[in-house]
């Protein structure tokens, strides 16, 4: 720990908090890497669109925020009670004479796999894409719908 001791107001030697608790340095490094904008950061280079999943008596509805994409760039698959949504958001091409001061919108590939809360009819799935929102309606299979039982007194 050479150099870890410092004088404080001429009253003796003391340690800085990061030198007293080396784990703090590790945590600080991990947090820096996690929020690093480069491809090597934990969140760098990945896309994970926001998803809402709701259920009615007849269907499961999924809404996904995918701004700036085209419908043909989105791949949707339903298999074994799982919904998979994949795609790729293209990076905007740099233009001559344009200087970027900030680039925060991510580009690249993404994939979300959602386990569905009920059995669905894979042949009747409907997907609509409008204003950057993908809406998927997955009709529940008729044989799995809950049957209401009347209780007799």
């Amino acid at each position: 720990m050479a150099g870890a001791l410092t004088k404080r107001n001429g009253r003796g030697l003391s340690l800085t908090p990061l030198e007293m608790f080396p784990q703090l340095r590790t945590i600080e490094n991990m947090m820096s890497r996690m929020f690093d904008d480069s491809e090597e950061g934990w969140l760098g280079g990945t896309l994970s669109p926001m998803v809402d999943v709701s259920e009615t008596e007849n269907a499961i509805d999924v809404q996904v925020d995918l701004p700036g994409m085209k419908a043909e760039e989105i791949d949707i698959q339903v298999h074994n009670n799982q919904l998979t949504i994949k795609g790729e958001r293209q990076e905007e091409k740099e233009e001559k004479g344009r200087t970027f001061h900030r680039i925060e919108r991510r580009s690249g590939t993404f994939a979300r796999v959602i386990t569905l809360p009920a059995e669905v009819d894979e042949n009747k799935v409907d997907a609509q894409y409008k204003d950057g929102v993908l809406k998927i309606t997955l009709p529940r299979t008729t044989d799995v719908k809950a049957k209401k039982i009347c209780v007799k007194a």
Side-chain angles (χ1 to χ4, degrees):
M1 273 197 348
L5 299 176
T6 58
K7 281 195 169 188
R8 183 183 284 178
N9 297 334
R11 286 188 267 159
L13 300 175
S14 65
L15 295 171
T16 63
L18 286 178
E19 291 156 340
M20 289 173 50
F21 304 103
Q23 294 86 0
L24 289 178
R25 174 73 68 196
T26 302
I27 292 169
E28 179 186 54
N29 289 338
M30 289 172 66
M31 295 296 286
S32 292
R33 278 197 332 260
M34 186 165 93
F35 295 106
D36 184 6
D37 285 338
S38 72
E39 293 293 319
E40 292 82 31
W42 289 355
L43 300 177
T46 61
L47 297 172
S48 187
M50 298 297 178
V51 176
D52 291 341
V53 179
S54 61
E55 181 179 7
T56 65
E57 184 178 319
N58 298 318
I60 297 169
D61 295 313
V62 178
Q63 292 190 27
V64 187
D65 287 341
L66 296 171
M69 293 193 67
K70 296 176 184 156
E72 57 270 10
E73 297 173 329
I74 304 167
D75 178 30
I76 302 168
Q77 297 178 18
V78 180
H79 185 66
N80 287 341
N81 207 37
Q82 288 191 324
L83 171 67
T84 303
I85 305 164
K86 296 179 188 177
E88 182 173 1
R89 184 174 298 146
Q90 299 295 323
E91 184 176 353
E92 289 189 27
K93 305 295 182 230
E94 213 172 302
E95 299 174 24
K96 264 191 171 177
R98 178 179 298 265
T99 303
F100 286 91
H101 296 281
R102 182 179 298 257
I103 298 176
E104 294 181 352
R105 298 182 308 148
R106 298 223 184 253
S107 60
T109 60
F110 67 87
R112 290 291 307 258
V113 179
I114 301 160
T115 300
L116 301 171
E119 295 290 325
V120 299
D121 187 343
E122 296 177 6
N123 298 317
K124 295 183 180 176
V125 175
D126 179 56
Q128 303 289 324
Y129 182 68
K130 183 179 177 187
D131 297 329
V133 179
L134 174 65
K135 294 181 182 182
I136 305 169
T137 302
L138 303 114
R140 294 175 64 147
T141 55
T142 54
D143 58 333
V144 182
K145 288 184 187 175
K147 182 178 178 185
K148 185 164 172 107
I149 309 294
C150 239
V151 178
K152 298 175 187 167

